[in-house]
Amino acid sequence: MRTITTTDDLASYCAEAAGHDYVTVDTEFLRERTYYSKLCLIQLAMPGTDDSNAVLVDPLAEGLSLEPLYALFRDTSVVKVFHAARQDLEIFFVDAEVFPEPLFDTQVAAMVCGFGEQVGYETLVRKIAHEQLDKTSRFTDWSRRPLSDAQKKYALADVTHLRQIYEFLAARLAETGRDKWVAEELETLTTPATYLNPPEDAWKRVKTRTHSGRFLAIVRALAAFRERLAQSRNIPRNRIYKDDAMVELASLKPKSHEELSRARLLLREARKGEIAEGILTAVAEGVNCPTSDLPEMDKRRDKLQVNPALADLLRVLLKAKVESAGVAAKLIASAADLDAIAGGMRDVQALRGWRREVFGDDAIELCEGRIALTAKGNDVVVVRS
C-alpha cells in the first residue's frame, strides 16, 4: 500500500495516469470541527485488476503540493471517476477553484441505470464487483498519523472497486444512450455556484414560521453575520449560534447586552465579545432596514391551488415512467415537484432536459387533459386522446 508524500512522486504518478482513459478518485476528510472540510487523504487508482497502481496521497505531508493532481484534473483526455462526488469536489474547488474534467459520478450513473435512490458505494461493490467491503474504519480520525494498515486498506478499496463499477456503468450508459443524461446531471456538480455560500443568502436556509418582512430582515442580518464569522474562523456555523437561537433573537430584538442576556437559547460564548457585538449590530441593521429592502419568502408554492387527485395521478404516472425507464424516481421528481406541477407551476426541474423527455411532457399532457392513464395487465399505460 503505497503512500505518496512528496510533490515529485505525485507528479510522477499523475504523469503516468495521464496516459490512461480514466483514473478513479476518492478522499477522506473531517468536517465536524470546521466550516470547510479538512482534506486528510486522497486515493487514486489507474485502470487494472490489482492494487499495484492504486496509491494514497497524504495532503498533510509537509511540503506536498497538489498541483500535479490539479493538472491531471484539467487534462480533458482522462475521465476522473468519483462516487457521490459533491463533497470531494467542494474540497478541490475551495482549495484551488478547479473541477475535474471530464467528470463521472458513479452514484448519479447508477441512479440513471436503475440501481435505486442515492445508491451507496457498498451496494454497487456488492452488486457489480461481487465483493464485500470492510467498513470498520469508516468513522476513524483521518487526520491522525500514522495511518493504520486497516485504514489504508479501507481507503484503497474506495478506488480499486470503483474501476469495475465505472466500466460497467459506462458500458450500460453507452448501450442505452443515457450518457447524455448523466452529463446533464453533472453540470450542477461542476458549477461554482453549487459550492458558494454567500452570507447575504444564508437566511434562506433558516426555517421560520413568521413571514413578516421586518422579522426576516433581522434573520437575514443575523444569518449573514454568522456566516461571515464562521467562514473567517473556519468553524461550523452552529458553533456561533444555532438556528433556533437566531429565530429567538429575531423575536426579542435585543438592543443591549442586558436584553441579549435574556435569550434562552443563545450559547454562553455568544453572550459576550465579538459575537455579542455582532448580534446587536445585526439586529439593529434588520430593525432599521428600509421598507423597500425588506426580504420576502418565495410564496409561489405556498399559494398553489393543488388538486390532490391530480397530484396523485402524477405520482402514478411517475411510477409507471420510472418502472419503464429503469430510473430512480427521486432523480426525476420529488413529491414537492409533483404538487407544483399539479398546481400549475412549469418552472420545475422535472420539466426540463432529459426529465421532460422521460416524464415531463406527459405530465403536462396529463394536467391539461390530453392523455389518460389506464391499467393493462399489471402495467399502467398512457392513453392518448
Side-chain angles (χ1 to χ4, degrees):
M1 292 183 285
R2 177 186 171 195
T3 301
I4 290 177
T5 58
T6 69
T7 305
D8 286 345
D9 283 350
L10 179 59
S12 177
Y13 182 86
C14 290
E16 184 180 354
H20 292 274
D21 293 335
Y22 71 86
V23 59
T24 56
V25 189
D26 191 37
T27 70
E28 305 298 341
F29 55 87
L30 296 178
R31 197 168 191 170
E32 291 79 8
R33 299 184 293 273
T34 57
Y35 183 92
Y36 300 106
S37 296
K38 179 180 180 180
L39 181 60
C40 299
L41 194 67
I42 304 168
Q43 304 96 282
L44 302 167
M46 290 180 267
T49 57
D50 58 29
D51 297 349
S52 62
N53 58 7
V55 298
L56 305 174
V57 180
D58 187 354
L60 303 182
E62 185 176 356
L64 175 69
S65 168
L66 294 180
E67 185 52 39
L69 177 63
Y70 295 149
L72 180 62
F73 282 179
R74 299 183 189 101
D75 186 342
T76 57
S77 69
V78 184
V79 178
K80 273 64 71 170
V81 182
F82 292 74
H83 180 82
R86 182 175 180 130
Q87 293 189 81
D88 303 314
L89 298 189
E90 181 181 19
I91 291 172
F92 298 128
F93 176 73
V94 169
D95 183 55
E97 295 187 355
V98 63
F99 289 117
E101 185 184 1
L103 169 71
F104 189 97
D105 189 322
T106 55
Q107 184 177 72
V108 174
M111 292 173 71
V112 168
C113 290
F115 281 86
E117 315 287 353
Q118 294 182 323
V119 60
Y121 180 67
E122 187 175 4
T123 299
L124 294 182
V125 170
R126 185 175 67 254
K127 290 186 175 181
I128 296 176
H130 306 295
E131 298 282 354
Q132 296 291 331
L133 290 179
D134 178 3
K135 307 300 287 185
T136 55
S137 295
R138 177 185 296 178
F139 299 111
T140 60
D141 184 349
W142 292 100
S143 67
R144 297 185 63 180
R145 296 294 185 270
L147 296 174
S148 68
D149 286 345
Q151 285 177 302
K152 293 178 181 180
K153 182 178 179 181
Y154 164 87
L156 280 175
D158 282 346
V159 288
T160 52
H161 298 305
L162 192 55
R163 298 174 297 194
Q164 187 174 351
I165 293 169
Y166 163 67
E167 291 175 2
F168 176 90
L169 292 174
R172 176 77 66 87
L173 291 171
E175 290 172 4
T176 59
R178 295 181 180 179
D179 44 350
K180 294 181 180 179
W181 295 10
V182 173
E184 188 177 319
E185 293 303 295
L186 296 183
E187 286 182 8
T188 300
L189 287 179
T190 54
T191 299
T194 302
Y195 307 99
L196 298 176
N197 294 309
E200 58 272 18
D201 292 337
W203 69 278
K204 297 176 182 178
R205 297 192 297 267
V206 181
K207 295 181 180 179
T208 70
R209 295 181 179 179
T210 303
H211 290 175
S212 157
R214 187 66 56 192
F215 179 88
L216 292 176
I218 301 172
V219 170
R220 178 175 65 184
L222 287 167
F225 163 69
R226 182 181 68 171
E227 202 74 15
R228 292 190 189 97
L229 190 61
Q231 291 175 354
S232 65
R233 291 187 177 183
N234 194 23
I235 59 175
R237 58 178 68 92
N238 284 344
R239 286 267 301 276
I240 300 170
Y241 43 79
K242 296 182 180 180
D243 286 2
D244 55 358
M246 186 189 308
V247 172
E248 181 188 33
L249 290 168
S251 298
L252 292 175
K253 305 180 185 64
K255 299 178 182 178
S256 65
H257 287 274
E258 181 182 356
E259 292 180 3
L260 184 63
S261 67
R262 297 171 190 164
R264 296 181 301 106
L265 302 177
L266 202 59
L267 298 172
R268 181 184 304 173
E269 294 77 6
R271 298 172 184 270
K272 56 186 178 180
E274 181 183 7
I275 298 179
E277 294 297 335
I279 289 173
L280 294 175
T281 300
V283 169
E285 178 185 331
V287 169
N288 298 315
C289 176
T291 302
S292 60
D293 192 35
L294 293 177
E296 293 183 6
M297 300 291 288
D298 185 351
K299 299 178 181 178
R300 289 178 301 167
R301 296 203 179 203
D302 293 340
K303 294 180 179 179
L304 288 176
Q305 298 297 315
V306 179
N307 182 330
L310 180 56
D312 286 341
L313 279 176
L314 287 171
R315 287 169 172 78
V316 174
L317 175 65
L318 177 62
K319 192 173 191 312
K321 291 293 185 178
V322 299
E323 288 180 355
S324 173
V327 182
K330 287 184 179 179
L331 189 62
I332 295 179
S334 65
D337 289 337
L338 297 179
D339 288 342
I341 296 170
M345 285 187 68
R346 295 297 178 259
D347 183 20
V348 179
Q349 188 180 38
L351 303 181
R352 297 194 293 266
W354 68 268
R355 291 175 175 84
R356 185 172 186 117
E357 173 189 340
V358 174
F359 168 75
D361 282 335
D362 279 350
I364 294 173
E365 296 274 287
L366 182 64
C367 290
E368 296 178 354
R370 291 196 290 269
I371 64 171
L373 302 177
T374 188
K376 185 176 182 180
N378 292 326
D379 298 325
V380 173
V381 297
V382 171
V383 178
R384 304 191 183 276
S385 58

